[in-house]
Amino acid sequence: MAADSVLKVLFELDGVFIHPSSEEGGSEQDSLISGCLRIVDKDADVLVEYRPLEDSDPSNMLCAGKDSSSVMEWDQCSGEKLLETQQSYETEWDMINAVSFKRRSVTNGEGSLNHSSERSRWAFSFSLSDLRCIRVKEQGWSFLLLQLSESCRSPPALHFHQGGSRDFLESLRRFAVISQAAGEEVCLMVSSPNRALSQSFENLLDENNFGLANQKFRNDPYVTTLGGFSKVTNYIFDAFRGAEEQQQRRPPEEVADLLGEVIPGLEINQQEEPGFEVITRMDLGVRPPVSRRDPVSSEEWSRHQDAEGRMINVPLLKQIIFKGGLCHAKRKEAWKFLLGFFPWESTVEERKVLHRAKTDEYFRMKLQWKSVSEQQEGRNSKLRDCRSLIEKDVNRTDRTNRFYEGLDNPGLVLLHDILMTYCMYDFDLGYVQGMSDLLSPVLYVMENEVDAFWCFVSFMDQMHQNFEEQMQGMKTQLIQLSTLLRLLDLSFWNYLEAQDSGYLYFCFRWLLIRFKRELSFQDVLRLWEVMWTGLPCQNFHLLLCCAILDSEKQKIMEENYGFNEILKHINELSMKLEIEEILQKAEGIGLQIKSCKDLPASISSILGWDPPAPPPAPPPALRTPQRGAACSSPLSRDSSAQNGCSPAFIS
C-alpha cells in the first residue's frame, strides 16, 4: 500500500529562536519564539522547516522521566508535570512499566487559540533549491539570515542561543554547495547542483557522512549500502565503465571487485564456490493457488489456551497466524511466544516467575551503563561510539509514527535505553546502525521496556549475522537468493546477470532489516509475525524477495532496464508494495518449488527441506550376486547416502 508522501528527517535541532520584536534580534525574553528547526526529505525534495514549539501535538501522554526511572504524565500544552508515579516490580527497580498516549483534551478558550495562532504564524518551510545565501552574524550568540530567491519570501532570522548553528550549516552542505562570498566573511553563497551527484560525492568522500569505502562500514552497513546503491549509483557505475565503454559489459571479476569495494565484507567470489550446483532450466509446473484468511482474533487465541494458561495445539495456531496474522489486540501477548521470550508450554504462573527474573536481569544490565561516569566513558571508546550512534539513530527512527513523533517523546527515551542496554548484553556486537529499525516495531507493540528488550534480544538472535563485521549472513542470503531466482526464472536471472545485477545487491536493504523500509509500519507488523511462525519453510523471507522480483520482472525486462535503472526501480518500490499480495505469491512459490520431483539439493538445503530419501535396499534374498557384492557393505551405503544428501550450496 502506498503512502501519499514519504517524509524523512535528515536533521533536527530544538531550541532555535525567532525574535519577533526586531529583525536584528531583541533581548526581551517574553518576546522570543522557541521552535524546532529541521531539514527533511519529502517526495525527493530537501526542505528546511521551522515549527514553533507550541505547534507540536499537545496530546497528554504517559512518558519516561529524563532519568528513565519513572513514569509521569506530561501535558505539552502547559509544559507542566501533572502526575508522577513510581511503578516497579520490586522496590529496588524503579522502572517504566508502560508508555501509552492519552486523548488530547480540547479547550475552547479564545485566549489559548489566539496564542497558538500568534505563534503558528512564525512557522515556515522552503525548498533548499530556493536558498540563495546565508549571512552569519554574532551577538553573544550566532544567528543566521536566510535569503531566498526573489519569488519567495525570506524567513525571519534564526537565533541559536543554545548553539547548533554550525551543525545546521554542516548538514546543509550535504545537499548543497556552500561557499564564502568574495570579499564577505559573513556571507555564504548557496547553490544546488544536481542533487544526486552532490550526495554521491558527499557520501563517497566525506568520512563524517558514512563514506562508502571507509572503515566505519561495520558501524553503518545500512546507511553505507543505501548510499552506495541508491545515491551513488550513477557516479560509481559511470566512472567504472567510462563514457567510451557504456555499451560494453565488464568482465565479471571487475564487477565483483567494484561491488566488493562498495560493500566491504561482502566479496562474493565470481568463481563457483566449492560444491556449488549449476541449476539448469527446470519445469516447476503450475503455481498452485493460495488463499489467506482474517487475522487471529482474541477469542480464537483464547481457545488455544488451557485452564493454566498453556498454549495448546501450537502447530495449528502457528498455521493460522501464518495464514492471517494477528489482530493488534493480541500482538503484545502473542509476539512473546513467537519470539521465544515465553515458552509455548509455560503456565501463567511460570511466566510470572520468568518475567520477574528477566526484569531483574534487564535492570542490572541497564545499571551498568547508567552508572558509568563521564570520566569512565572518556576512557571507553567503544561505549562512546555506541552511544553516539544510538543517539543519532534514535532521533531519526520512525519519527513520523505517532509513537515516536514530537519533541521529548517517551518512545525515543525507551528506544535509546533499550539499545544502550543491548550493548551491555552483547559486548562483542554492541550497536550497529539499522538495529533501531528492528527494535522500533517491537517497542511499539510491547509498550514496555523489559518486554521489548527481551523480544528484541530474540529477534537479534535471528538477525545477528546480518550485523557482524564479516557480514557472512548477508553474503549467504544473497547467494541463496540468487540460487532460488535461478531456479524459478532462469531467463530473468540471465537478464539480470547481463546487466551486471546478478549479484542481487539491490535486495540488500530488504534482507538487512527484513523489509522494514519497504512497507508501511502496520504492514511490517503483519509481515514479521507471519515470518516468526517459521512456516512454511526456513528462509521464507527469500521467497518474499522472489515474489517481489516476480511481480517486477516484466517491467524490468520490457523496459530493458540496465544496472542504474534496476537499482532506481527497486528503491522506488518502497511504500508501494501490497503485503497480502506478496505473502500470497511467496507461499505459492514455496508450494510450487516443493512439488518439484527432482528438486536440486541446494534448494532443499536453503528452504530446510530434506532431500528425498533413497529407496530402501532390496532384501538380501533378492539381490543378484554381483550387486550384492557391491551393496552389502554398510560403509558403502553410508557413503552413498552421504554423497546424495550433501548440500550443493555451501554457506
Side-chain angles (χ1 to χ4, degrees):
M1 58 184 64
D4 293 336
S5 62
V6 179
L7 179 69
K8 180 180 179 182
V9 178
L10 307 172
F11 171 84
E12 186 172 46
L13 179 65
D14 301 331
V16 178
F17 292 83
I18 292 176
H19 295 190
S21 60
S22 170
E23 196 60 31
E24 292 299 323
S27 60
E28 300 177 16
Q29 293 300 313
D30 59 358
S31 68
L32 304 186
I33 301 293
S34 175
C36 177
L37 180 63
R38 300 198 304 177
I39 302 174
V40 300
D41 187 330
K42 184 175 182 181
D43 297 332
D45 189 16
V46 177
L47 306 176
V48 177
E49 294 182 346
Y50 180 85
R51 288 178 59 190
L53 282 181
E54 293 192 13
D55 283 350
S56 59
D57 187 0
S59 301
N60 296 340
M61 63 181 73
L62 293 179
C63 67
K66 290 293 186 181
D67 60 356
S68 300
S69 63
S70 63
V71 176
M72 63 191 68
E73 186 174 335
W74 181 266
D75 180 359
Q76 287 181 303
C77 291
S78 62
E80 297 178 356
K81 299 173 185 178
L82 301 178
L83 173 67
E84 184 165 348
T85 58
Q86 297 290 336
Q87 300 183 4
S88 62
Y89 290 92
E90 295 187 13
T91 55
E92 63 266 30
W93 298 128
D94 289 327
M95 66 167 294
I96 299 168
N97 186 45
V99 175
S100 59
F101 294 92
K102 304 176 70 177
R103 184 168 299 178
R104 175 176 56 182
S105 57
V106 180
T107 174
N108 294 322
E110 286 188 14
S112 62
L113 291 177
N114 290 339
H115 180 67
S116 176
S117 176
E118 172 65 22
R119 297 181 70 87
S120 65
R121 73 185 182 90
W122 295 102
F124 62 80
S125 174
F126 60 84
S127 172
L128 186 58
S129 60
D130 292 324
L131 183 59
R132 293 293 175 262
C133 78
I134 304 173
R135 293 186 178 275
V136 184
K137 297 194 175 184
E138 296 286 338
Q139 188 172 312
W141 61 84
S142 297
F143 65 94
L144 305 179
L145 297 170
L146 310 180
Q147 183 178 332
L148 306 185
S149 59
E150 295 180 359
S151 60
C152 303
R153 179 182 177 184
S154 295
L158 298 176
H159 295 256
F160 296 80
H161 292 279
Q162 301 170 8
S165 60
R166 181 173 298 180
D167 292 338
F168 173 64
L169 292 175
E170 286 303 313
S171 295
L172 288 180
R173 292 182 193 275
R174 296 170 54 193
F175 312 103
V177 176
I178 300 180
S179 57
Q180 185 173 313
E184 289 195 60
E185 295 183 0
V186 298
C187 184
L188 302 175
M189 304 304 296
V190 181
S191 60
S192 299
N194 179 274
R195 182 185 168 210
L197 184 60
S198 174
Q199 286 184 279
S200 297
F201 280 97
E202 191 72 12
N203 287 327
L204 183 65
L205 303 176
D206 188 349
E207 179 176 333
N208 294 322
N209 287 320
F210 314 107
L212 291 179
N214 86 43
Q215 296 179 351
K216 291 187 177 180
F217 180 81
R218 177 179 181 273
N219 292 331
D220 197 357
Y222 176 66
V223 173
T224 301
T225 304
L226 294 193
F229 288 99
S230 64
K231 297 177 182 176
V232 219
T233 300
N234 293 326
Y235 170 75
I236 288 182
F237 204 67
D238 290 345
F240 173 70
R241 293 191 301 186
E244 71 282 4
E245 298 178 304
Q246 291 292 324
Q247 304 303 321
Q248 299 180 15
R249 182 169 178 265
R250 306 302 294 176
E253 60 272 14
E254 293 188 27
V255 179
D257 291 342
L258 168 67
L259 295 175
E261 292 176 5
V262 173
I263 307 184
L266 268 181
E267 299 89 344
I268 296 178
N269 192 341
Q270 66 274 10
Q271 303 297 326
E272 301 291 6
E273 300 210 354
F276 191 88
E277 180 178 10
V278 178
I279 298 176
T280 56
R281 189 183 302 275
M282 298 182 63
D283 182 11
L284 295 177
V286 179
R287 188 174 300 166
V290 171
S291 62
R292 292 188 57 77
R293 51 156 286 166
D294 292 333
V296 176
S297 64
S298 298
E299 295 76 14
E300 198 168 11
W301 175 268
S302 299
R303 289 198 294 269
H304 284 80
Q305 284 183 316
D306 66 14
E308 294 184 316
R310 298 183 187 86
M311 304 307 300
I312 57 177
N313 206 350
V314 174
L316 175 60
L317 179 58
K318 287 184 176 181
Q319 179 64 31
I320 60 178
I321 293 175
F322 171 76
K323 280 291 190 179
L326 294 154
C327 69
H328 190 71
K330 297 312 297 179
R331 281 181 171 140
K332 187 181 298 186
E333 180 181 358
W335 280 23
K336 297 171 189 174
F337 291 96
L338 289 170
L339 284 166
F341 180 25
F342 288 159
W344 293 96
E345 67 278 6
S346 62
T347 65
V348 171
E349 291 303 317
E350 289 170 343
R351 292 196 288 272
K352 288 181 180 178
V353 173
L354 175 62
H355 196 272
R356 185 180 297 273
K358 288 297 186 181
T359 298
D360 287 346
E361 186 179 354
Y362 172 76
F363 279 101
R364 287 192 177 95
M365 288 187 291
K366 181 174 180 178
L367 186 61
Q368 291 174 356
W369 66 267
K370 295 281 282 185
S371 60
V372 172
S373 67
E374 291 185 11
Q375 291 77 14
Q376 287 177 301
E377 188 168 327
R379 297 186 292 270
N380 190 330
S381 60
K382 184 168 184 178
L383 181 61
R384 290 198 310 272
D385 291 344
C386 284
R387 187 191 295 273
S388 175
L389 288 170
I390 288 170
E391 289 175 352
K392 288 179 180 178
D393 263 15
V394 163
N395 285 326
R396 59 191 180 194
T397 299
D398 292 323
R399 294 306 301 276
T400 58
N401 184 289
R402 178 68 179 83
F403 194 81
Y404 298 108
E405 71 180 359
L407 304 172
D408 289 327
N409 188 293
L412 300 180
V413 178
L414 297 186
L415 205 61
H416 171 274
D417 287 3
I418 293 171
L419 292 171
M420 284 295 297
T421 306
Y422 186 82
C423 294
M424 301 294 103
Y425 174 83
D426 191 337
F427 284 103
D428 291 336
L429 183 63
Y431 177 78
V432 182
Q433 288 189 312
M435 287 164 56
S436 63
D437 276 297
L438 301 183
L439 173 58
S440 171
V442 175
L443 177 58
Y444 171 85
V445 168
M446 292 297 140
E447 298 182 305
N448 179 289
E449 185 174 8
V450 173
D451 294 349
F453 174 81
W454 289 112
C455 287
F456 175 65
V457 165
S458 297
F459 195 11
M460 280 301 300
D461 287 344
Q462 303 174 27
M463 305 292 292
H464 200 279
Q465 281 194 319
N466 284 15
F467 298 96
E468 292 173 357
E469 184 171 8
Q470 299 303 318
M471 302 200 73
Q472 183 59 41
M474 292 302 300
K475 173 184 175 181
T476 298
Q477 291 173 83
L478 286 168
I479 296 176
Q480 290 175 332
L481 178 56
S482 181
T483 303
L484 288 171
L485 188 62
R486 192 165 6 183
L487 170 76
L488 290 168
D489 197 325
L490 186 59
S491 61
F492 182 45
W493 186 89
N494 285 333
Y495 176 85
L496 294 176
E497 178 74 4
Q499 306 303 322
D500 298 318
S501 299
Y503 291 104
L504 305 181
Y505 279 101
F506 50 79
C507 299
F508 185 94
R509 183 172 68 183
W510 300 357
L511 301 173
L512 181 69
I513 52 176
R514 290 297 189 268
F515 305 94
K516 170 62 166 52
R517 295 293 180 93
E518 318 311 316
L519 303 168
S520 69
F521 198 85
Q522 292 301 318
D523 283 353
V524 169
L525 306 184
R526 171 73 72 243
L527 175 64
W528 286 5
E529 64 199 13
V530 167
M531 290 195 300
W532 291 336
T533 65
L535 299 174
C537 59
Q538 71 181 26
N539 287 321
F540 181 61
H541 65 287
L542 298 180
L543 296 183
L544 292 166
C545 295
C546 291
I548 297 173
L549 294 175
D550 183 72
S551 298
E552 302 301 322
K553 67 179 181 182
Q554 183 176 355
K555 183 175 182 63
I556 290 173
M557 296 177 73
E558 287 183 353
E559 299 290 337
N560 197 27
Y561 283 170
F563 182 89
N564 295 341
E565 293 81 8
I566 292 172
L567 292 173
K568 182 175 183 292
H569 178 72
I570 294 299
N571 282 332
E572 289 176 349
L573 294 178
S574 179
M575 299 300 158
K576 298 176 182 177
L577 301 172
E578 174 54 54
I579 183 59
E580 291 298 326
E581 178 183 326
I582 296 170
L583 287 170
Q584 197 167 351
K585 178 173 287 191
E587 184 183 357
I589 290 174
L591 294 174
Q592 183 182 23
I593 294 175
K594 193 170 186 180
S595 65
C596 181
K597 293 181 180 179
D598 301 315
L599 192 64
S602 59
I603 303 299
S604 297
S605 175
I606 292 170
L607 300 178
W609 295 327
D610 293 332
L622 299 179
R623 295 178 187 164
T624 63
Q626 295 81 1
R627 179 159 183 151
C631 300
S632 60
S633 168
L635 179 60
S636 176
R637 285 198 304 272
D638 290 345
S639 300
S640 175
Q642 183 178 359
N643 291 337
C645 297
S646 176
F649 170 81
I650 295 180
S651 60

